[in-house]
C-alpha cells in the first residue's frame, strides 16, 4: 500500500479515460449501477475520498487492492458507501403511495384474507420509503376496520450504512418530504435534537436486510402483495431494468402490485402483469391466474 503525500480535495489526481472505464465497468458488474461519462467527477471525487482514508494516491494501485483477495472484498464494502446515491424522503412520490393506499383499501375490504400482507421496499436507502409504506398499510387497516395488524415489510439495500440509518429510524426534518402534518403527528415523535423518530409500532413491522439486487435470483422473498422499487433502476441499463422487473414480477403473489418510478421503464410489458390505468403512477397488478414462480 502506498503512503500518500498530504493532498487535499483541491488536488485530486486526474483520472484518465482508461482508468475511468475500468472503474465504471467494475461498478456496473458488481452493482448494476452505470456511471455516465458526465458523472466522471462524481466517481473521481468518491474514489479519492476513500483513497485518502486509505492513504493511497494512485487509482491503479487502489483498483488492484479492491479487486484482490479478502481485504479487497472488505474494502469494496466500504467503497460502496461512497459510490451509492442514497437520496430519499418520506412519501417521495406521493401519487405512488396513494395508489398503494387505494389498492390496499380494495384488498382489505374483500372478505376472506387469510395470510398477512407482505411488502417489499427494494433499494430502500435509509428507510423512509419502507416506513411510508407502513404508514399507508396502518391507515388502510384502520380505515377498513380490520381487526388484525398482520403485515410485514422487507426493506433491502446494498448499503450497510443506509440500513443502519433505517433501523435507527431517526430523521431530520428535511427527510419528512411528502408526509402530511396529520401523518407526522400520528406516526413520528419529535426528539430533543430537533429530529423525528418513527414510532416503535411501525419500526417493529420493518425488517432491514442487505441485498444486492443483482443477486435477486437467490433472494428468498416471494408471494409479495406489494413490491415497491423506485429510483434504483434508473441507474441501470435498460436491458437490466427489464430483466430485473421480469424477476420481480414473478415474486408477486397473484393479485399483488408492483410499483416502479414513473417513466423508469418504457416499452416494457410482462404477460403476468396488467398496468394500473392511472397516468400519475407506473404500477402493475399480477393477474390472478398467473403461472406460479419458477
Ligand atoms: C436513490 S436511492 C432510492 C431510495 C428509495 N427507493 C427512494 O425512491 O427514495 C437508491 C438506493 O439504491 C441502492 N442500490 C444501488 N445499487 C444497488 C444494488 N445493486 N442493490 C441494491 N440496492 C442498490 C443505493 O444504496 C440507494 O440506497
Amino acid at each position: 500500500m502506498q503512503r500518500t503525500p498530504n493532498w487535499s480535495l483541491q488536488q485530486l489526481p486526474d483520472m484518465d479515460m482508461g482508468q475511468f472505464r475500468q472503474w465504471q465497468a467494475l461498478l456496473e458488474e458488481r452493482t448494476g449501477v452505470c456511471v455516465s461519462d458526465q458523472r466522471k467527477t462524481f466517481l473521481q471525487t468518491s474514489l479519492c475520498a476513500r483513497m485518502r482514508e486509505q492513504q493511497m494516491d494512485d487509482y491503479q494501485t487502489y483498483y488492484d487492492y479492491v479487486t484482490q483477495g479478502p481485504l479487497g472484498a472488505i474494502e469494496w464494502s466500504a467503497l460502496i458507501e461512497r459510490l451509492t446515491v442514497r437520496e430519499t424522503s418520506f412519501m417521495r412520490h406521493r401519487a405512488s403511495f396513494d395508489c398503494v393506499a387505494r389498492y390496499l383499501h380494495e384488498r382489505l375490504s374483500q372478505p376472506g384474507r387469510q395470510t398477512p400482507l407482505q411488502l417489499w421496499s427494494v433499494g430502500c436507502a435509509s428507510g423512509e420509503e419502507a416506513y411510508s409504506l407502513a404508514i399507508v398499510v396502518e391507515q388502510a387497516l384502520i380505515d377498513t376496520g380490520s381487526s388484525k395488524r398482520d403485515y410485514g415489510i422487507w426493506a433491502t439495500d446494498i448499503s450497510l450504512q443506509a440500513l443502519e440509518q433505517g433501523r435507527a429510524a431517526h430523521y431530520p426534518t428535511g427527510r419528512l418530504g411528502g408526509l402530511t402534518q396529520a401523518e407526522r403527528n400520528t406516526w413520528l415523535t419529535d426528539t430533543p435534537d430537533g429530529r423525528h423518530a418513527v414510532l416503535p409500532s411501525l419500526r417493529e413491522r420493518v425488517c432491514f436486510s442487505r441485498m444486492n439486487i443483482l443477486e435477486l435470483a437467490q433472494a428468498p422473498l416471494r408471494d409479495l402483495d406489494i413490491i415497491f422499487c423506485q429510483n434504483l433502476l434508473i441507474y441501470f441499463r435498460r436491458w437490466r431494468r427489464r430483466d430485473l422487473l421480469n424477476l420481480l414480477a414473478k415474486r408477486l403473489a397473484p393479485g399483488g402490485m408492483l410499483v416502479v418510478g414513473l417513466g423508469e421503464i418504457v416499452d416494457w410489458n410482462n404477460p403476468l402483469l396488467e398496468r394500473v390505468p392511472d397516468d400519475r403512477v407506473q404500477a402493475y397488478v399480477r393477474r390472478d391466474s398467473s403461472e406460479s414462480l419458477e
Side-chain angles (χ1 to χ4, degrees):
M1 197 186 298
Q2 288 186 359
R3 298 288 143 188
T4 63
N6 191 14
W7 43 268
S8 68
L9 259 184
Q10 286 73 40
Q11 299 165 315
L12 299 175
D14 202 33
M15 181 187 256
D16 66 35
M17 240 14 214
Q19 287 165 334
F20 175 59
R21 295 276 175 254
Q22 194 179 29
W23 279 102
Q24 204 182 24
L26 184 68
L27 189 63
E28 186 173 358
E29 179 197 312
R30 293 189 174 185
T31 69
V33 172
C34 193
V35 181
S36 63
D37 291 2
Q38 292 72 33
R39 295 183 71 234
K40 178 168 175 264
T41 310
F42 157 78
L43 184 66
Q44 185 173 318
T45 312
S46 310
L47 284 174
C48 281
R50 184 61 195 161
M51 284 162 63
R52 185 174 293 108
E53 283 167 9
Q54 291 291 50
Q55 305 198 318
M56 291 188 184
D57 65 353
D58 161 29
Y59 294 111
Q60 191 60 50
T61 309
Y62 185 55
Y63 181 90
D64 294 343
Y65 179 54
V66 164
T67 50
Q68 283 165 27
L71 283 181
I74 294 169
E75 180 56 26
W76 174 254
S77 254
L79 180 60
I80 275 294
E81 305 299 343
R82 300 263 178 196
L83 295 178
T84 45
V85 177
R86 304 203 292 264
E87 184 188 333
T88 188
S89 57
F90 280 83
M91 304 284 183
R92 184 170 180 183
H93 184 242
R94 186 79 214 198
S96 295
F97 290 96
D98 291 345
C99 175
V100 171
R102 285 191 296 276
Y103 169 82
L104 288 176
H105 272 81
E106 204 176 305
R107 282 282 297 267
L108 294 171
S109 303
Q110 291 161 6
R113 184 171 64 90
Q114 303 289 334
T115 50
L117 288 172
Q118 287 203 87
L119 295 86
W120 184 7
S121 163
V122 188
C124 64
S126 37
E128 292 86 333
E129 182 177 277
Y131 292 123
S132 301
L133 288 171
I135 290 171
V136 169
V137 179
E138 291 278 352
Q139 200 56 53
L141 290 169
I142 294 167
D143 294 347
T144 54
S146 301
S147 51
K148 292 185 285 186
R149 270 181 75 240
D150 54 346
Y151 74 95
I153 298 180
W154 301 100
T156 63
D157 201 279
I158 200 170
S159 158
L160 288 175
Q161 265 176 20
L163 296 168
E164 271 312 303
Q165 289 165 354
R167 289 186 193 106
H170 190 207
Y171 298 102
T173 307
R175 290 291 181 82
L176 301 188
L179 283 178
T180 63
Q181 193 58 49
E183 286 165 341
R184 278 192 198 197
N185 297 344
T186 311
W187 304 110
L188 289 94
T189 51
D190 295 345
T191 54
D193 59 359
R195 290 159 37 114
H196 312 272
V198 177
L199 291 190
S201 59
L202 288 191
R203 287 176 61 184
E204 70 191 11
R205 295 286 155 181
V206 182
C207 177
F208 288 92
S209 179
R210 188 180 203 191
M211 200 199 95
N212 183 341
I213 187 81
L214 298 191
E215 289 155 15
L216 181 57
Q218 284 99 61
L221 303 182
R222 53 197 65 207
D223 290 328
L224 278 302
D225 297 289
I226 305 278
I227 299 179
F228 204 93
C229 181
Q230 295 197 332
N231 301 301
L232 163 61
L233 300 179
I234 43 169
Y235 299 102
F236 292 10
R237 288 189 198 273
R238 278 163 67 182
W239 65 265
R240 207 191 286 278
R241 293 183 205 185
R242 279 196 287 270
D243 284 1
L244 289 170
L245 286 172
N246 287 333
L247 290 174
L248 287 174
K250 291 185 181 178
R251 300 294 170 139
L252 286 172
M257 179 184 263
L258 170 67
V259 187
V260 299
L262 190 58
E264 284 185 20
I265 183 88
V266 286
D267 298 335
W268 173 72
N269 286 304
N270 181 301
L272 301 182
L273 304 177
E274 204 165 317
R275 179 136 182 202
V276 174
D278 181 344
D279 290 344
R280 293 165 302 173
V281 298
Q282 196 160 348
Y284 304 82
V285 172
R286 182 168 171 166
R287 300 172 211 275
D288 271 340
S289 55
S290 313
E291 69 194 39
S292 62
L293 178 66
E294 272 111 31

